[in-house]
Structures are given as C-alpha cells and as structure tokens.
Amino acid sequence: MTVIRLVFKELVGMFVDDGSLALLALILIALIAAAVKLLALPPLVGGFLLLAGCLAILLESTRRAARGRAR
C-alpha cells in the first residue's frame, strides 16, 4: 500500500506543485460554472469573477510561499 501511495504522490507531483493552489482553483471554477448555469449569471461577469478569483488565489499562494522561505 505504501508503494501505491508513493507512486500516486509522484504522479501528482509531476503536474501539481502546490496542492492547495490547485484545489482552490478547481473549487473556484466549479462555483463560477454553477453560478453561470444555475443562477443565470452573465458569462462576462462569470469570466471577470474567475479572473479576480484566480488572481486572489495566486496572490495568497505567493504570500504563503514567501513566508515559508523567510523562515
């Protein structure tokens, strides 16, 4: 079981360096897509919210990485 877990971590690590960044981006995409489809949010507004959300997530991830290197 340990070998399977190690292989899985290595495969994910090839594509995802920051797990929380990837998870938050996927959640944001799902929420915006649901809002556009279910709440009839205009696609242009959804696109703007997606851009703003991605920038906020990236800023938070950058700050967290900078704090980790400062220690």
Side-chain angles (χ1 to χ4, degrees), residues 46-68:
F48 175 75
L49 290 174
L50 186 61
L51 176 65
C54 284
L55 289 174
I57 292 169
L58 185 60
L59 178 65
E60 185 272 331
S61 178
T62 303
R63 286 183 180 169
R64 188 177 60 244
R67 278 193 308 254

Side-chain angles (χ1 to χ4, degrees), residues 1-62:
M1 195 60 149
T2 305
V3 173
I4 294 172
R5 191 175 301 143
L6 180 63
V7 169
F8 180 73
K9 279 183 151 182
E10 286 297 321
L11 284 173
V12 170
M14 287 186 342
F15 301 104
V16 178
D17 186 35
D18 187 356
S20 66
L21 174 75
L23 182 63
L24 287 173
L26 289 175
I27 290 170
L28 177 67
I29 291 168
L31 289 174
I32 297 297
V36 169
K37 285 287 187 184
L38 301 175
L39 303 176
L41 186 71
L44 189 60
V45 174
F48 175 75
L49 290 174
L50 186 61
L51 176 65
C54 284
L55 289 174
I57 292 169
L58 185 60
L59 178 65
E60 185 272 331
S61 178
T62 303

